[in-house]
Amino acid sequence: KNQVEQSPQSLIILEGKNCTLQCNYTVSPFSNLRWYKQDTGRGPVSLTIMTFSENTKSNGRYTATLDADTKQSSLHITASQLSDSASYICVVSALTGGGNKLTFGTGTQLKVEL
Amino acid sequence: DGGITQSPKYLFRKEGQNVTLSCEQNLNHDAMYWYRQDPGQGLRLIYYSQIVNDFQKGDIAEGYSVSREKKESFPLTVTSAQKNPTAFYLCASSTTTVQAEGYTFGSGTRLTVV
């Protein structure tokens, strides 16, 4: 069964600090891995998407890494801001006969405080 | 600006009623999807459509119905057969289900049974 597990479940950090969110997956055959940011009551917004051959991808203060051998990914947020408070969702895509099938993690709830 | 529009943002349903959630996109995407989001769970796929006049059941299709009469529109009907409809519903679209490029979400509809 394809699964995506994220840790920690929730996290509180002070503004300006860095943090790293983790994603472990058991999805096969692997197609790509995406990180989304979801503000409360809003739809998810894409941060990064990585294929098998990509190890690192950055989007401003967000840097995602992928280790396809250990099936792990991380999202590093640098110099956090209050606006970073949101749920961060890891999504892994498997390429099946019917196309890309996405498996969603349950998200890490990040709160950035003054 | 291109994007996906979901309406209404909030919807209240009485027991035994059918309600329809709207999803419109102007991204010229072929594929459209409906997801359900519950607290503490990852997004779960209800229905998806790869092309006009065609749609497929997802993982939790029971109690839901869809139509795809136009490329831009993919409405979801929550029927009285859905026993626990209170949830946050998200619509998404992508270029095709194979590449799933440009996977974009709407802002969601929160449905509450009263």
Side-chain angles (χ1 to χ4, degrees), chain B residues 9-71:
Chain B
K9 187 172 178 63
Y10 299 97
L11 187 58
F12 297 89
R13 192 195 92 169
K14 293 182 179 179
E15 296 277 356
Q17 271 187 341
N18 292 352
V19 291
T20 298
L21 284 59
S22 171
C23 178
E24 303 276 336
Q25 56 99 358
N26 59 5
L27 300 167
N28 200 31
H29 283 170
D30 289 312
M32 297 186 74
Y33 314 80
W34 273 106
Y35 289 91
R36 171 180 171 139
Q37 187 174 35
D38 295 283
Q41 297 191 41
L43 273 68
R44 293 181 290 168
L45 182 64
I46 303 172
Y47 269 98
Y48 66 99
S49 168
Q50 301 182 59
I51 197 169
V52 174
N53 292 323
D54 181 67
F55 49 83
Q56 308 294 328
K57 292 182 178 180
D59 300 319
I60 56 166
E62 186 176 352
Y64 300 97
S65 66
V66 294
S67 63
R68 187 85 187 278
E69 297 177 1
K70 298 186 301 181
K71 185 176 183 178

Short mmCIF file of all heavy atoms in Angstrom, two decimals, chain B residues 9-71:
data_model
loop_
_atom_site.label_atom_id
_atom_site.label_comp_id
_atom_site.label_asym_id
_atom_site.label_seq_id
_atom_site.Cartn_x
_atom_site.Cartn_y
_atom_site.Cartn_z
N LYS B 9 -17.84 29.21 -0.97
CA LYS B 9 -16.75 28.96 -0.02
C LYS B 9 -17.27 28.16 1.18
O LYS B 9 -16.59 27.30 1.72
CB LYS B 9 -16.15 30.28 0.45
CG LYS B 9 -14.90 30.12 1.30
CD LYS B 9 -14.24 31.46 1.56
CE LYS B 9 -13.01 31.30 2.46
NZ LYS B 9 -11.96 30.48 1.83
N TYR B 10 -18.50 28.48 1.58
CA TYR B 10 -19.14 27.76 2.68
C TYR B 10 -20.52 27.27 2.21
O TYR B 10 -21.22 27.99 1.50
CB TYR B 10 -19.33 28.65 3.92
CG TYR B 10 -18.04 29.18 4.48
CD1 TYR B 10 -17.57 30.45 4.16
CD2 TYR B 10 -17.28 28.40 5.35
CE1 TYR B 10 -16.38 30.93 4.68
CE2 TYR B 10 -16.08 28.88 5.88
CZ TYR B 10 -15.64 30.14 5.53
OH TYR B 10 -14.46 30.61 6.05
N LEU B 11 -20.89 26.08 2.62
CA LEU B 11 -22.17 25.50 2.21
C LEU B 11 -22.73 24.69 3.36
O LEU B 11 -22.01 23.91 3.99
CB LEU B 11 -21.96 24.61 0.99
CG LEU B 11 -23.19 24.03 0.29
CD1 LEU B 11 -24.11 25.15 -0.17
CD2 LEU B 11 -22.75 23.18 -0.90
N PHE B 12 -24.03 24.89 3.61
CA PHE B 12 -24.69 24.16 4.68
C PHE B 12 -25.77 23.28 4.06
O PHE B 12 -26.54 23.73 3.22
CB PHE B 12 -25.29 25.13 5.71
CG PHE B 12 -24.24 25.97 6.39
CD1 PHE B 12 -23.84 27.18 5.86
CD2 PHE B 12 -23.63 25.51 7.55
CE1 PHE B 12 -22.86 27.94 6.48
CE2 PHE B 12 -22.66 26.26 8.18
CZ PHE B 12 -22.26 27.48 7.64
N ARG B 13 -25.81 22.05 4.51
CA ARG B 13 -26.76 21.07 3.95
C ARG B 13 -27.59 20.47 5.05
O ARG B 13 -27.07 20.13 6.12
CB ARG B 13 -26.00 19.96 3.23
CG ARG B 13 -26.88 19.05 2.36
CD ARG B 13 -26.18 17.79 1.96
NE ARG B 13 -26.43 16.70 2.90
CZ ARG B 13 -26.10 15.44 2.66
NH1 ARG B 13 -25.49 15.10 1.54
NH2 ARG B 13 -26.36 14.50 3.57
N LYS B 14 -28.88 20.35 4.79
CA LYS B 14 -29.76 19.66 5.72
C LYS B 14 -29.69 18.17 5.44
O LYS B 14 -29.38 17.74 4.34
CB LYS B 14 -31.20 20.17 5.59
CG LYS B 14 -31.39 21.62 6.01
CD LYS B 14 -32.85 22.01 5.89
CE LYS B 14 -33.05 23.46 6.34
NZ LYS B 14 -34.48 23.87 6.21
N GLU B 15 -30.02 17.39 6.44
CA GLU B 15 -30.07 15.95 6.28
C GLU B 15 -31.00 15.59 5.12
O GLU B 15 -32.09 16.14 5.00
CB GLU B 15 -30.59 15.30 7.57
CG GLU B 15 -29.69 15.48 8.79
CD GLU B 15 -28.57 14.47 8.84
OE1 GLU B 15 -28.55 13.57 7.97
OE2 GLU B 15 -27.72 14.58 9.73
N GLY B 16 -30.54 14.68 4.25
CA GLY B 16 -31.39 14.22 3.16
C GLY B 16 -31.35 15.05 1.90
O GLY B 16 -31.98 14.71 0.91
N GLN B 17 -30.62 16.15 1.93
CA GLN B 17 -30.54 17.02 0.75
C GLN B 17 -29.34 16.67 -0.12
O GLN B 17 -28.32 16.22 0.38
CB GLN B 17 -30.37 18.48 1.19
CG GLN B 17 -31.64 19.24 1.43
CD GLN B 17 -31.37 20.70 1.70
OE1 GLN B 17 -30.26 21.08 2.06
NE2 GLN B 17 -32.39 21.52 1.54
N ASN B 18 -29.52 16.91 -1.41
CA ASN B 18 -28.36 16.87 -2.32
C ASN B 18 -27.85 18.30 -2.47
O ASN B 18 -28.63 19.25 -2.50
CB ASN B 18 -28.77 16.36 -3.71
CG ASN B 18 -29.17 14.90 -3.70
OD1 ASN B 18 -29.03 14.20 -2.71
ND2 ASN B 18 -29.69 14.43 -4.83
N VAL B 19 -26.53 18.46 -2.57
CA VAL B 19 -25.96 19.78 -2.83
C VAL B 19 -24.89 19.63 -3.90
O VAL B 19 -24.24 18.59 -4.00
CB VAL B 19 -25.35 20.42 -1.56
CG1 VAL B 19 -26.43 20.79 -0.58
CG2 VAL B 19 -24.32 19.49 -0.93
N THR B 20 -24.70 20.70 -4.67
CA THR B 20 -23.71 20.68 -5.74
C THR B 20 -22.65 21.74 -5.50
O THR B 20 -22.98 22.91 -5.26
CB THR B 20 -24.38 20.90 -7.10
OG1 THR B 20 -25.29 19.83 -7.35
CG2 THR B 20 -23.33 20.93 -8.22
N LEU B 21 -21.39 21.31 -5.58
CA LEU B 21 -20.24 22.20 -5.44
C LEU B 21 -19.71 22.51 -6.83
O LEU B 21 -19.53 21.61 -7.66
CB LEU B 21 -19.15 21.53 -4.60
CG LEU B 21 -19.34 21.45 -3.08
CD1 LEU B 21 -20.60 20.69 -2.70
CD2 LEU B 21 -18.12 20.80 -2.45
N SER B 22 -19.41 23.79 -7.04
CA SER B 22 -18.96 24.22 -8.36
C SER B 22 -17.44 24.29 -8.42
O SER B 22 -16.78 24.67 -7.46
CB SER B 22 -19.55 25.59 -8.68
OG SER B 22 -18.97 26.13 -9.85
N CYS B 23 -16.89 23.93 -9.59
CA CYS B 23 -15.46 24.05 -9.85
C CYS B 23 -15.27 24.45 -11.30
O CYS B 23 -15.70 23.73 -12.22
CB CYS B 23 -14.73 22.74 -9.58
SG CYS B 23 -12.95 22.83 -9.93
N GLU B 24 -14.64 25.60 -11.52
CA GLU B 24 -14.40 26.12 -12.86
C GLU B 24 -12.92 26.46 -13.00
O GLU B 24 -12.34 27.06 -12.10
CB GLU B 24 -15.22 27.39 -13.10
CG GLU B 24 -16.72 27.22 -12.90
CD GLU B 24 -17.41 26.69 -14.14
OE1 GLU B 24 -16.88 26.86 -15.25
OE2 GLU B 24 -18.50 26.09 -13.99
N GLN B 25 -12.32 26.09 -14.14
CA GLN B 25 -10.91 26.43 -14.38
C GLN B 25 -10.73 27.05 -15.76
O GLN B 25 -11.43 26.70 -16.71
CB GLN B 25 -10.01 25.19 -14.22
CG GLN B 25 -10.38 24.01 -15.09
CD GLN B 25 -9.56 23.86 -16.34
OE1 GLN B 25 -8.68 24.67 -16.64
NE2 GLN B 25 -9.85 22.80 -17.10
N ASN B 26 -9.82 28.02 -15.84
CA ASN B 26 -9.50 28.66 -17.12
C ASN B 26 -8.03 28.47 -17.46
O ASN B 26 -7.40 29.33 -18.09
CB ASN B 26 -9.87 30.14 -17.09
CG ASN B 26 -9.14 30.90 -16.01
OD1 ASN B 26 -8.28 30.36 -15.32
ND2 ASN B 26 -9.48 32.17 -15.84
N LEU B 27 -7.48 27.33 -17.03
CA LEU B 27 -6.08 26.99 -17.27
C LEU B 27 -5.90 26.14 -18.52
O LEU B 27 -4.78 25.75 -18.85
CB LEU B 27 -5.52 26.25 -16.05
CG LEU B 27 -5.54 27.03 -14.74
CD1 LEU B 27 -5.28 26.11 -13.56
CD2 LEU B 27 -4.51 28.15 -14.79
N ASN B 28 -7.01 25.81 -19.17
CA ASN B 28 -6.99 24.93 -20.35
C ASN B 28 -6.45 23.54 -20.00
O ASN B 28 -5.84 22.87 -20.84
CB ASN B 28 -6.17 25.53 -21.49
CG ASN B 28 -6.53 24.90 -22.84
OD1 ASN B 28 -7.67 24.49 -23.07
ND2 ASN B 28 -5.55 24.79 -23.71
N HIS B 29 -6.68 23.12 -18.75
CA HIS B 29 -6.25 21.78 -18.32
C HIS B 29 -7.25 20.74 -18.77
O HIS B 29 -8.46 20.95 -18.71
CB HIS B 29 -6.10 21.74 -16.80
CG HIS B 29 -4.86 22.40 -16.31
ND1 HIS B 29 -4.63 22.65 -14.97
CD2 HIS B 29 -3.76 22.86 -16.97
CE1 HIS B 29 -3.44 23.22 -14.83
NE2 HIS B 29 -2.90 23.37 -16.03
N ASP B 30 -6.74 19.58 -19.17
CA ASP B 30 -7.62 18.49 -19.58
C ASP B 30 -8.19 17.73 -18.37
O ASP B 30 -9.33 17.31 -18.39
CB ASP B 30 -6.86 17.49 -20.46
CG ASP B 30 -6.56 18.08 -21.84
OD1 ASP B 30 -7.49 18.63 -22.45
OD2 ASP B 30 -5.41 17.99 -22.28
N ALA B 31 -7.37 17.53 -17.35
CA ALA B 31 -7.75 16.69 -16.22
C ALA B 31 -8.24 17.53 -15.04
O ALA B 31 -7.68 18.58 -14.74
CB ALA B 31 -6.57 15.82 -15.78
N MET B 32 -9.28 17.04 -14.40
CA MET B 32 -9.80 17.69 -13.19
C MET B 32 -10.10 16.64 -12.14
O MET B 32 -10.38 15.47 -12.47
CB MET B 32 -11.06 18.52 -13.52
CG MET B 32 -10.78 19.66 -14.50
SD MET B 32 -12.18 20.75 -14.76
CE MET B 32 -12.21 21.67 -13.21
N TYR B 33 -10.02 17.07 -10.87
CA TYR B 33 -10.11 16.13 -9.75
C TYR B 33 -10.95 16.73 -8.63
O TYR B 33 -10.96 17.95 -8.45
CB TYR B 33 -8.71 15.84 -9.19
CG TYR B 33 -7.64 15.56 -10.21
CD1 TYR B 33 -7.01 16.60 -10.90
CD2 TYR B 33 -7.22 14.26 -10.48
CE1 TYR B 33 -6.02 16.35 -11.83
CE2 TYR B 33 -6.23 14.00 -11.41
CZ TYR B 33 -5.64 15.05 -12.08
OH TYR B 33 -4.65 14.80 -13.01
N TRP B 34 -11.55 15.87 -7.82
CA TRP B 34 -12.19 16.29 -6.58
C TRP B 34 -11.59 15.49 -5.43
O TRP B 34 -11.48 14.26 -5.50
CB TRP B 34 -13.70 16.04 -6.62
CG TRP B 34 -14.46 17.17 -7.22
CD1 TRP B 34 -15.05 17.22 -8.44
CD2 TRP B 34 -14.75 18.43 -6.59
NE1 TRP B 34 -15.67 18.43 -8.63
CE2 TRP B 34 -15.51 19.19 -7.51
CE3 TRP B 34 -14.46 19.00 -5.34
CZ2 TRP B 34 -15.96 20.48 -7.23
CZ3 TRP B 34 -14.90 20.27 -5.07
CH2 TRP B 34 -15.65 21.00 -6.00
N TYR B 35 -11.23 16.23 -4.36
CA TYR B 35 -10.68 15.62 -3.16
C TYR B 35 -11.51 16.02 -1.95
O TYR B 35 -12.14 17.08 -1.93
CB TYR B 35 -9.24 16.09 -2.90
CG TYR B 35 -8.23 15.55 -3.87
CD1 TYR B 35 -7.91 16.24 -5.02
CD2 TYR B 35 -7.57 14.35 -3.61
CE1 TYR B 35 -6.95 15.76 -5.90
CE2 TYR B 35 -6.61 13.86 -4.48
CZ TYR B 35 -6.32 14.57 -5.62
OH TYR B 35 -5.38 14.08 -6.50
N ARG B 36 -11.43 15.19 -0.94
CA ARG B 36 -12.04 15.48 0.34
C ARG B 36 -10.92 15.55 1.38
O ARG B 36 -10.01 14.69 1.38
CB ARG B 36 -13.04 14.39 0.70
CG ARG B 36 -13.59 14.47 2.10
CD ARG B 36 -14.57 13.37 2.39
NE ARG B 36 -14.90 13.37 3.82
CZ ARG B 36 -16.12 13.18 4.28
NH1 ARG B 36 -17.12 12.91 3.46
NH2 ARG B 36 -16.34 13.22 5.57
N GLN B 37 -10.98 16.56 2.26
CA GLN B 37 -9.97 16.72 3.30
C GLN B 37 -10.65 16.73 4.66
O GLN B 37 -11.53 17.54 4.91
CB GLN B 37 -9.17 18.02 3.10
CG GLN B 37 -7.99 18.15 4.04
CD GLN B 37 -7.14 19.37 3.73
OE1 GLN B 37 -7.64 20.41 3.32
NE2 GLN B 37 -5.82 19.25 3.91
N ASP B 38 -10.24 15.81 5.52
CA ASP B 38 -10.74 15.72 6.89
C ASP B 38 -9.58 15.94 7.84
O ASP B 38 -8.43 15.61 7.51
CB ASP B 38 -11.37 14.35 7.14
CG ASP B 38 -12.61 14.11 6.30
OD1 ASP B 38 -13.65 14.68 6.67
OD2 ASP B 38 -12.55 13.38 5.29
N PRO B 39 -9.86 16.47 9.03
CA PRO B 39 -8.79 16.73 10.00
C PRO B 39 -7.97 15.48 10.30
O PRO B 39 -8.52 14.41 10.52
CB PRO B 39 -9.56 17.20 11.24
CG PRO B 39 -10.84 17.75 10.71
CD PRO B 39 -11.18 16.89 9.54
N GLY B 40 -6.65 15.63 10.27
CA GLY B 40 -5.77 14.52 10.60
C GLY B 40 -5.61 13.48 9.52
O GLY B 40 -4.95 12.46 9.73
N GLN B 41 -6.19 13.72 8.36
CA GLN B 41 -6.08 12.77 7.25
C GLN B 41 -5.53 13.47 6.02
O GLN B 41 -5.73 14.66 5.82
CB GLN B 41 -7.44 12.17 6.91
CG GLN B 41 -8.05 11.34 8.01
CD GLN B 41 -9.26 10.56 7.53
OE1 GLN B 41 -9.25 10.01 6.43
NE2 GLN B 41 -10.30 10.51 8.33
N GLY B 42 -4.87 12.70 5.17
CA GLY B 42 -4.44 13.24 3.89
C GLY B 42 -5.62 13.40 2.96
O GLY B 42 -6.68 12.81 3.17
N LEU B 43 -5.44 14.17 1.90
CA LEU B 43 -6.50 14.33 0.91
C LEU B 43 -6.85 12.99 0.30
O LEU B 43 -5.96 12.18 -0.02
CB LEU B 43 -6.06 15.30 -0.19
CG LEU B 43 -6.30 16.78 0.05
CD1 LEU B 43 -5.42 17.31 1.17
CD2 LEU B 43 -6.06 17.56 -1.24
N ARG B 44 -8.14 12.76 0.11
CA ARG B 44 -8.60 11.52 -0.50
C ARG B 44 -9.36 11.83 -1.79
O ARG B 44 -10.20 12.72 -1.83
CB ARG B 44 -9.48 10.74 0.48
CG ARG B 44 -8.72 10.22 1.68
CD ARG B 44 -9.63 9.43 2.61
NE ARG B 44 -10.59 10.28 3.28
CZ ARG B 44 -11.64 9.83 3.96
NH1 ARG B 44 -11.87 8.53 4.04
NH2 ARG B 44 -12.45 10.68 4.58
N LEU B 45 -9.07 11.05 -2.84
CA LEU B 45 -9.61 11.30 -4.17
C LEU B 45 -11.04 10.77 -4.27
O LEU B 45 -11.30 9.60 -4.00
CB LEU B 45 -8.73 10.65 -5.22
CG LEU B 45 -9.11 10.84 -6.67
CD1 LEU B 45 -9.03 12.32 -7.07
CD2 LEU B 45 -8.22 9.99 -7.58
N ILE B 46 -11.97 11.64 -4.71
CA ILE B 46 -13.37 11.25 -4.85
C ILE B 46 -13.65 10.82 -6.30
O ILE B 46 -14.10 9.70 -6.56
CB ILE B 46 -14.31 12.41 -4.47
CG1 ILE B 46 -14.02 12.89 -3.05
CG2 ILE B 46 -15.77 11.97 -4.60
CD1 ILE B 46 -14.79 14.15 -2.67
N TYR B 47 -13.39 11.70 -7.24
CA TYR B 47 -13.58 11.44 -8.66
C TYR B 47 -12.52 12.22 -9.44
O TYR B 47 -12.00 13.22 -8.96
CB TYR B 47 -14.96 11.93 -9.14
CG TYR B 47 -16.07 10.93 -9.10
CD1 TYR B 47 -16.98 10.91 -8.03
CD2 TYR B 47 -16.27 10.02 -10.13
CE1 TYR B 47 -18.02 10.00 -7.99
CE2 TYR B 47 -17.32 9.11 -10.10
CZ TYR B 47 -18.19 9.10 -9.02
OH TYR B 47 -19.22 8.19 -8.98
N TYR B 48 -12.23 11.74 -10.65
CA TYR B 48 -11.37 12.50 -11.54
C TYR B 48 -11.85 12.32 -12.98
O TYR B 48 -12.54 11.35 -13.31
CB TYR B 48 -9.90 12.13 -11.39
CG TYR B 48 -9.52 10.73 -11.82
CD1 TYR B 48 -8.97 10.48 -13.06
CD2 TYR B 48 -9.71 9.65 -10.95
CE1 TYR B 48 -8.60 9.19 -13.45
CE2 TYR B 48 -9.35 8.37 -11.32
CZ TYR B 48 -8.79 8.15 -12.57
OH TYR B 48 -8.45 6.87 -12.93
N SER B 49 -11.45 13.28 -13.81
CA SER B 49 -11.86 13.28 -15.21
C SER B 49 -10.66 13.63 -16.06
O SER B 49 -9.98 14.62 -15.81
CB SER B 49 -12.98 14.29 -15.43
OG SER B 49 -13.21 14.50 -16.81
N GLN B 50 -10.41 12.82 -17.06
CA GLN B 50 -9.26 13.06 -17.95
C GLN B 50 -9.65 13.85 -19.18
O GLN B 50 -8.79 14.44 -19.84
CB GLN B 50 -8.65 11.72 -18.37
CG GLN B 50 -8.18 10.87 -17.20
CD GLN B 50 -7.54 9.58 -17.68
OE1 GLN B 50 -6.56 9.60 -18.41
NE2 GLN B 50 -8.08 8.45 -17.25
N ILE B 51 -10.95 13.84 -19.50
CA ILE B 51 -11.40 14.48 -20.72
C ILE B 51 -12.89 14.73 -20.62
O ILE B 51 -13.58 14.10 -19.78
CB ILE B 51 -11.07 13.58 -21.94
CG1 ILE B 51 -11.13 14.37 -23.25
CG2 ILE B 51 -11.98 12.37 -21.97
CD1 ILE B 51 -10.57 13.60 -24.43
N VAL B 52 -13.39 15.63 -21.43
CA VAL B 52 -14.81 15.95 -21.41
C VAL B 52 -15.66 14.69 -21.63
O VAL B 52 -15.29 13.82 -22.41
CB VAL B 52 -15.13 17.02 -22.49
CG1 VAL B 52 -16.63 17.26 -22.58
CG2 VAL B 52 -14.41 18.32 -22.16
N ASN B 53 -16.77 14.63 -20.90
CA ASN B 53 -17.73 13.52 -20.98
C ASN B 53 -17.17 12.18 -20.51
O ASN B 53 -17.73 11.12 -20.84
CB ASN B 53 -18.28 13.37 -22.41
CG ASN B 53 -19.16 14.55 -22.81
OD1 ASN B 53 -19.89 15.08 -21.99
ND2 ASN B 53 -19.05 14.96 -24.06
N ASP B 54 -16.10 12.22 -19.74
CA ASP B 54 -15.53 10.99 -19.16
C ASP B 54 -15.05 11.28 -17.75
O ASP B 54 -14.44 12.32 -17.50
CB ASP B 54 -14.36 10.50 -20.01
CG ASP B 54 -13.78 9.21 -19.44
OD1 ASP B 54 -14.47 8.18 -19.47
OD2 ASP B 54 -12.64 9.26 -18.92
N PHE B 55 -15.33 10.38 -16.82
CA PHE B 55 -14.83 10.52 -15.46
C PHE B 55 -14.72 9.15 -14.82
O PHE B 55 -15.36 8.18 -15.26
CB PHE B 55 -15.73 11.45 -14.63
CG PHE B 55 -17.20 11.15 -14.70
CD1 PHE B 55 -17.77 10.16 -13.91
CD2 PHE B 55 -18.02 11.85 -15.56
CE1 PHE B 55 -19.13 9.89 -13.96
CE2 PHE B 55 -19.39 11.59 -15.64
CZ PHE B 55 -19.94 10.60 -14.84
N GLN B 56 -13.86 9.08 -13.80
CA GLN B 56 -13.57 7.82 -13.14
C GLN B 56 -13.73 7.97 -11.63
O GLN B 56 -13.46 9.04 -11.08
CB GLN B 56 -12.14 7.37 -13.43
CG GLN B 56 -11.77 7.33 -14.90
CD GLN B 56 -12.55 6.28 -15.67
OE1 GLN B 56 -12.90 5.25 -15.11
NE2 GLN B 56 -12.82 6.54 -16.94
N LYS B 57 -14.15 6.89 -10.97
CA LYS B 57 -14.24 6.90 -9.52
C LYS B 57 -12.85 6.91 -8.90
O LYS B 57 -11.93 6.25 -9.39
CB LYS B 57 -15.01 5.68 -9.03
CG LYS B 57 -16.48 5.69 -9.38
CD LYS B 57 -17.19 4.46 -8.81
CE LYS B 57 -18.68 4.49 -9.13
NZ LYS B 57 -19.38 3.31 -8.58
N GLY B 58 -12.74 7.65 -7.80
CA GLY B 58 -11.52 7.62 -7.01
C GLY B 58 -11.66 6.62 -5.88
O GLY B 58 -12.38 5.63 -5.99
N ASP B 59 -10.99 6.92 -4.77
CA ASP B 59 -10.96 5.98 -3.65
C ASP B 59 -12.22 6.02 -2.78
O ASP B 59 -12.52 5.05 -2.09
CB ASP B 59 -9.73 6.28 -2.77
CG ASP B 59 -8.43 6.15 -3.56
OD1 ASP B 59 -8.33 5.19 -4.36
OD2 ASP B 59 -7.54 7.00 -3.39
N ILE B 60 -12.94 7.14 -2.80
CA ILE B 60 -14.09 7.28 -1.90
C ILE B 60 -15.29 7.87 -2.65
O ILE B 60 -15.89 8.84 -2.23
CB ILE B 60 -13.74 8.15 -0.67
CG1 ILE B 60 -13.21 9.53 -1.10
CG2 ILE B 60 -12.73 7.47 0.23
CD1 ILE B 60 -13.17 10.54 0.02
N ALA B 61 -15.69 7.26 -3.76
CA ALA B 61 -16.73 7.82 -4.63
C ALA B 61 -18.16 7.61 -4.12
O ALA B 61 -19.08 8.30 -4.56
CB ALA B 61 -16.60 7.23 -6.03
N GLU B 62 -18.37 6.70 -3.19
CA GLU B 62 -19.73 6.39 -2.75
C GLU B 62 -20.41 7.60 -2.14
O GLU B 62 -19.87 8.26 -1.25
CB GLU B 62 -19.71 5.25 -1.73
CG GLU B 62 -21.09 4.78 -1.34
CD GLU B 62 -21.08 3.58 -0.41
OE1 GLU B 62 -19.99 3.02 -0.19
OE2 GLU B 62 -22.15 3.21 0.10
N GLY B 63 -21.63 7.89 -2.64
CA GLY B 63 -22.39 9.02 -2.13
C GLY B 63 -22.12 10.32 -2.86
O GLY B 63 -22.67 11.36 -2.50
N TYR B 64 -21.29 10.27 -3.89
CA TYR B 64 -20.96 11.44 -4.69
C TYR B 64 -21.25 11.17 -6.16
O TYR B 64 -21.24 10.02 -6.59
CB TYR B 64 -19.48 11.81 -4.56
CG TYR B 64 -19.01 12.13 -3.16
CD1 TYR B 64 -18.40 11.15 -2.38
CD2 TYR B 64 -19.18 13.40 -2.63
CE1 TYR B 64 -17.96 11.43 -1.09
CE2 TYR B 64 -18.75 13.69 -1.34
CZ TYR B 64 -18.14 12.71 -0.58
OH TYR B 64 -17.71 12.99 0.70
N SER B 65 -21.49 12.25 -6.93
CA SER B 65 -21.61 12.12 -8.38
C SER B 65 -21.01 13.36 -9.03
O SER B 65 -20.91 14.42 -8.40
CB SER B 65 -23.07 11.95 -8.82
OG SER B 65 -23.81 13.12 -8.53
N VAL B 66 -20.55 13.20 -10.27
CA VAL B 66 -19.94 14.30 -11.00
C VAL B 66 -20.43 14.30 -12.43
O VAL B 66 -21.06 13.35 -12.91
CB VAL B 66 -18.39 14.20 -11.01
CG1 VAL B 66 -17.81 14.38 -9.61
CG2 VAL B 66 -17.95 12.89 -11.63
N SER B 67 -20.13 15.39 -13.14
CA SER B 67 -20.36 15.47 -14.58
C SER B 67 -19.22 16.28 -15.18
O SER B 67 -18.57 17.07 -14.49
CB SER B 67 -21.71 16.12 -14.88
OG SER B 67 -21.73 17.46 -14.41
N ARG B 68 -18.97 16.08 -16.47
CA ARG B 68 -17.92 16.85 -17.15
C ARG B 68 -18.43 17.15 -18.56
O ARG B 68 -18.00 16.57 -19.55
CB ARG B 68 -16.61 16.04 -17.21
CG ARG B 68 -15.44 16.87 -17.76
CD ARG B 68 -14.75 17.66 -16.74
NE ARG B 68 -13.74 18.56 -17.25
CZ ARG B 68 -12.48 18.21 -17.56
NH1 ARG B 68 -12.10 16.95 -17.44
NH2 ARG B 68 -11.63 19.11 -18.00
N GLU B 69 -19.36 18.08 -18.63
CA GLU B 69 -19.96 18.46 -19.91
C GLU B 69 -19.12 19.49 -20.65
O GLU B 69 -19.21 19.62 -21.88
CB GLU B 69 -21.38 18.98 -19.68
CG GLU B 69 -22.32 17.92 -19.10
CD GLU B 69 -23.70 18.47 -18.80
OE1 GLU B 69 -23.92 19.67 -19.07
OE2 GLU B 69 -24.55 17.70 -18.31
N LYS B 70 -18.32 20.23 -19.92
CA LYS B 70 -17.42 21.22 -20.51
C LYS B 70 -16.02 21.04 -19.95
O LYS B 70 -15.84 20.61 -18.81
CB LYS B 70 -17.91 22.64 -20.19
CG LYS B 70 -19.27 22.99 -20.73
CD LYS B 70 -19.58 24.46 -20.48
CE LYS B 70 -19.55 24.81 -19.01
NZ LYS B 70 -19.89 26.24 -18.78
N LYS B 71 -15.03 21.39 -20.73
CA LYS B 71 -13.64 21.25 -20.30
C LYS B 71 -13.37 22.08 -19.05
O LYS B 71 -12.60 21.69 -18.19
CB LYS B 71 -12.70 21.69 -21.42
CG LYS B 71 -11.24 21.48 -21.14
CD LYS B 71 -10.39 21.86 -22.35
CE LYS B 71 -8.92 21.57 -22.10
NZ LYS B 71 -8.09 21.89 -23.30
#
